[in-house]
């Protein structure tokens, strides 16, 4: 079996590990990550897919630490999608039990780092033990003021939009909402976590270049970065490289910037 040897250094604990110097305005407030490539990483080493998920836990913790050090306020991670139920029953059982055990084992550490843990997704089909750990983590860390870590577990972008539309339609039917006054901001209030800002930077690991039904509403104007590293090889240093590259991008949100070339 593969041993997980990577040391997870707490934020601000080692003066030799220094995040990049970025202007505050150039640091994305909300980074979302599609943690892809665990299974392929393991298979390429002759290991079961589950071993990739285990090493991915260390990558997540190291990435959280790096996000804190860089000044990111919100970090959303795609832990289990509504489509992942299509995987083999054995892998689904592993992922459910693994998600529960990681939350149980790491919650106190995240709490020490002043991280607030939140859950975004659907309750149906989730194991009751997983929901219990998610709710415990949310309760324990609810007063923390540092990074907000959003665990997207049993989550799908289309599912979230569908659920929001259903709740909005019910309010219209009950006379609580005038349909003629519905705006984008109105709809946004019916999303799972309406107080979490839109995504500024979406990162997907393992070289795949698609959204995979992740945060479709929130990623409307997100900058995107597709990393070739598999998720188990990710961490604070690759994150900092991406944040540095992001700081040089120009975000126009549909507008235009006049640039006249000087001879």
């Amino acid at each position: 079996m593969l041993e997980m040897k990577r040391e997870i250094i707490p934020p601000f604990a080692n003066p030799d590990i220094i995040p990049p110097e970025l202007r505050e305005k150039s640091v994305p407030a909300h980074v979302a990550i599609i943690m892809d490539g665990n299974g392929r990483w393991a298979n390429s080493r002759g290991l079961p897919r589950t071993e990739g998920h285990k090493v991915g836990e260390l990558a997540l913790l190291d990435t959280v630490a790096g996000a804190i050090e860089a000044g990111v306020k919100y970090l959303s991670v795609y832990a289990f999608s509504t489509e992942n139920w299509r995987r083999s029953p054995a892998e689904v059982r592993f992922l459910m039990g693994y998600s529960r055990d990681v939350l149980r084992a790491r919650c106190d550490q995240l709490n020490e780092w002043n991280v607030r843990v939140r859950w975004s997704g659907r309750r149906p089909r989730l194991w009751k033990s997983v929901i219990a750990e998610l709710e415990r983590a949310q309760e324990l860390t609810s007063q923390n003021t540092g990074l907000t870590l959003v665990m997207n577990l049993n989550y799908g972008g289309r599912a979230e939009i569908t659920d929001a539309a259903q709740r909005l339609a019910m309010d219209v039917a009950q006379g609580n909402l005038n349909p003629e006054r519905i705006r984008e901001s109105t709809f946004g209030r019916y999303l799972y976590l309406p107080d979490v800002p839109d995504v500024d930077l979406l990162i997907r690991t393992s070289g795949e270049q698609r959204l995979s039904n992740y945060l479709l509403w929130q990623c409307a104007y997100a900058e995107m970065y597709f990393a070739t590293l598999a998720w188990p090889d990710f961490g604070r240093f690759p994150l900092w490289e991406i944040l540095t590259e992001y700081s040089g991008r120009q975000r126009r949100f549909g507008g235009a910037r006049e640039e006249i070339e000087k001879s």
Side-chain angles (χ1 to χ4, degrees), residues 40-260:
R40 293 189 295 277
W41 181 92
N43 290 340
S44 69
R45 289 162 174 76
L47 300 166
R49 289 175 59 86
T50 52
E51 290 302 310
H53 295 301
K54 291 178 181 178
V55 179
E57 173 190 348
L58 301 180
L60 174 59
L61 287 171
D62 199 50
T63 301
V64 169
I68 294 170
E69 291 166 324
V72 174
K73 301 300 182 185
Y74 295 86
L75 178 66
S76 293
V77 293
Y78 212 1
F80 190 90
S81 76
T82 50
E83 289 72 41
N84 286 156
W85 296 105
R86 300 171 185 169
R87 296 188 178 185
S88 70
E91 187 170 1
V92 168
R93 284 195 300 273
F94 171 82
L95 289 171
M96 285 293 102
Y98 185 64
S99 297
R100 175 197 61 209
D101 296 343
V102 168
L103 286 163
R104 182 181 299 157
R106 300 297 186 178
C107 186
D108 288 340
Q109 183 175 8
L110 292 171
N111 189 43
E112 290 176 3
W113 291 359
N114 196 29
V115 171
R116 183 183 181 188
V117 178
R118 301 183 71 182
W119 166 38
S120 180
R122 283 179 164 176
R123 296 179 72 92
R125 299 188 74 180
L126 268 183
W127 288 10
K128 291 182 179 179
S129 58
V130 175
I131 293 175
E133 291 301 330
L134 284 165
E135 291 179 340
R136 185 183 80 87
Q138 288 188 132
E139 177 63 26
L140 177 65
T141 64
S142 62
Q143 300 303 311
N144 289 347
T145 58
L147 174 79
T148 294
L149 175 63
V150 179
M151 302 292 295
N152 294 105
L153 194 60
N154 197 24
Y155 174 87
R158 288 183 173 181
E160 179 178 23
I161 291 171
T162 299
D163 291 347
Q166 288 178 344
R167 289 192 294 271
L168 185 148
M170 289 178 62
D171 275 351
V172 170
Q174 294 169 1
N176 299 322
L177 183 64
N178 182 347
E180 295 182 356
R181 304 193 65 173
I182 295 175
R183 304 289 184 269
E184 288 185 10
S185 59
T186 309
F187 190 88
R189 293 197 292 270
Y190 289 83
L191 297 174
Y192 293 153
L193 299 178
D195 58 313
V196 173
D198 284 348
V199 175
D200 297 302
L201 173 63
L202 173 75
I203 300 170
R204 181 173 187 144
T205 59
S206 197
E208 301 292 343
Q209 298 184 25
R210 56 181 178 270
L211 285 175
S212 294
N213 196 23
Y214 189 44
L215 297 173
L216 300 180
W217 180 276
Q218 297 88 341
C219 282
Y221 277 101
E223 295 292 315
M224 298 186 183
Y225 191 99
F226 299 103
T228 56
L229 289 175
W231 178 247
D233 292 326
F234 204 77
R236 72 183 75 191
F237 293 114
L239 173 66
W240 290 347
E241 290 179 4
I242 295 170
L243 293 180
T244 300
E245 194 270 351
Y246 168 89
S247 69
R249 297 189 184 186
Q250 296 178 358
R251 304 186 69 196
R252 292 186 284 272
F253 300 94
R257 178 176 178 177
E258 191 72 30
E259 293 184 0
I260 302 175

